[in-house]
Amino acid sequence: MTARRPHLVDPHGDPLTLALAGLMGEAPGAQRTYEFRDVAISDPELPIGALLDGQARLTRTNRGLLLDATFATRLALECSRCLKAIDLPVELHLEEEVLPSIDISSGLPVRREEGEDPEAAVLNDHHELELRLLILEAISLVEPIAPLCEPGCPGLCAECGERLGPTHVEHEAEIDPRLEALRAFKVDDSERSG
């Protein structure tokens, strides 16, 4: 059974923490859809430069839940060649199996089966899915190691530190004052051998 309209997230709690006890109590195939608009998300390790928007659909399975979510935000980066500020749009697609940590009917901890992925997403003890952690991990995986403001960024001038490009003025190479006397020497082509 598919939910007809998006479920709104509790505005008083963390909008990225979804209470899913009701969905866990339903039969396999039941779904919920959640909409997210202008959600603040930050991490000291990540240069997130905008609010988060997205949608998440959760489907009840025989073992737990299937998460299918799409999110968009922007990263505030710096070009690795010319140091220009970059506003990089980022789109994330999460597709994960989410397993319960507590059995919904008995209230007992769920034992993991041998061979299950030890890093699989898990509902907390209150049957809540903490999407924030999954989103931050996905952002860290798509963040570029050496971002560029444009594919052919020319970088910075080694002499003046200005950005290279069509408007940059070339500098005459300065000679070390100790070698200045060498400018007076002239090469006589007639004396060259061979």
Side-chain angles (χ1 to χ4, degrees):
M1 177 177 209
T2 302
R4 292 209 168 123
R5 57 189 181 123
H7 290 267
L8 297 176
V9 181
D10 177 13
H12 303 293
D14 180 2
L16 294 172
T17 299
L18 307 178
L20 299 170
L23 181 57
M24 288 299 295
E26 293 187 30
Q31 291 186 342
R32 299 284 190 280
T33 301
Y34 297 86
E35 297 284 338
F36 303 91
R37 295 285 172 256
D38 299 330
V39 177
I41 186 165
S42 64
D43 184 286
E45 302 289 319
L46 295 170
I48 301 169
L51 298 175
L52 182 81
D53 292 329
Q55 181 180 41
R57 185 178 71 237
L58 288 146
T59 305
R60 179 71 166 105
T61 66
N62 61 340
R63 291 173 17 123
L65 300 168
L66 179 62
L67 169 67
D68 185 13
T70 305
F71 293 97
T73 188
R74 301 181 88 73
L75 298 181
L77 301 170
E78 192 174 75
C79 179
S80 60
R81 289 186 191 162
C82 71
L83 308 179
K84 179 180 173 183
I86 305 171
D87 184 36
L88 181 70
V90 173
E91 288 196 22
L92 311 168
H93 184 74
L94 304 175
E95 199 171 295
E96 303 239 358
E97 182 181 28
V98 182
L99 302 174
S101 59
I102 302 292
D103 183 87
I104 193 72
S105 55
S106 70
L108 296 173
V110 174
R111 289 184 19 200
R112 296 284 158 238
E113 295 177 21
E114 190 175 320
E116 273 187 8
D117 181 5
E119 296 188 20
V122 178
L123 297 176
N124 66 22
D125 292 350
H126 302 287
H127 308 290
E128 296 172 331
L129 174 59
E130 297 170 355
L131 278 173
R132 185 174 299 275
L133 300 174
L134 296 174
I135 293 168
L136 290 173
E137 182 180 340
I139 291 172
S140 71
L141 292 174
V142 299
E143 179 187 6
I145 294 171
L148 296 176
C149 60
E150 58 184 75
C153 177
L156 299 175
C157 175
E159 296 294 322
C160 67
E162 293 295 319
R163 188 175 192 272
L164 295 171
T167 60
H168 182 261
V169 177
E170 290 293 323
H171 303 282
E172 185 178 315
E174 291 185 29
I175 295 181
D176 186 322
R178 295 171 293 178
L179 302 175
E180 187 64 40
L182 295 176
R183 281 188 193 238
F185 288 109
K186 302 285 183 206
V187 176
D188 185 6
D189 288 335
S190 63
E191 293 183 15
R192 282 190 179 179
S193 59

